[in-house]
Amino acid sequence: MVDRIVTGAHYGLRDWLVQRVTAVLMVAYTLFIAGYVVLHSRFESNAWIGLDYNTWTGLFSNLVMRSFSLLFLFAVFYHAWIGVRDIVMDYVKSARTRLVIYVLVIMALLLYSIWAVQILWGM
């Protein structure tokens, strides 16, 4: 009997599934926002009047909308992390360069996450 040696990080199926789930969540959020814009815009004097500040403020004053927006942003960040990580694993051969890229991307995504919370909850 031959022993099979399995190496690698075993990201395959889990990351494929996470990419699909985050993509579905992003599509749902995008369709909701697009539908909201279409339903709340109006046509006056041969021009489309878009949403004003008060309409957007009213939409994002709702806790459910802010939570859904934060979930959307976290899904975008995680989706981006998986994509960048896979590209770097495939095309960057130097381990030191890969590590630098990983650290920079993780730091940027963490800062974006903190910034998103500050924007949505006004901290």
Side-chain angles (χ1 to χ4, degrees):
M1 180 169 179
V2 176
D3 287 332
R4 190 171 150 201
I5 300 172
V6 179
T7 60
H10 308 290
Y11 293 122
L13 180 61
R14 185 190 70 201
D15 285 345
W16 179 86
L17 186 60
V18 169
Q19 285 284 82
R20 277 23 178 213
V21 169
T22 56
V24 167
L25 195 138
M26 290 185 289
V27 166
Y29 183 84
T30 303
L31 290 175
F32 173 79
I33 293 293
Y36 187 84
V37 168
V38 167
L39 292 175
H40 288 85
S41 297
R42 59 189 186 281
F43 188 74
E44 292 180 6
S45 305
N46 296 329
W48 279 102
I49 307 296
L51 303 176
D52 59 357
Y53 176 78
N54 293 328
T55 307
W56 284 114
T57 304
L59 175 64
F60 283 94
S61 65
N62 186 351
L63 179 64
V64 173
M65 186 61 198
R66 284 189 282 172
S67 300
F68 190 34
S69 297
L70 191 62
L71 180 64
F72 165 78
L73 289 170
F74 286 161
V76 168
F77 300 153
Y78 196 53
H79 192 92
W81 164 246
I82 292 172
V84 168
R85 189 200 63 218
D86 288 351
I87 289 170
V88 169
M89 274 195 294
D90 288 345
Y91 294 107
V92 178
K93 300 301 178 198
S94 168
R96 182 173 293 156
T97 305
R98 270 197 316 262
L99 179 63
V100 169
I101 293 171
Y102 289 159
V103 168
L104 290 175
V105 169
I106 289 170
M107 286 177 58
L109 292 173
L110 286 174
L111 289 173
Y112 294 155
S113 298
I114 293 167
W115 192 22
V117 170
Q118 286 178 337
I119 289 171
L120 290 169
W121 270 270
M123 294 179 179

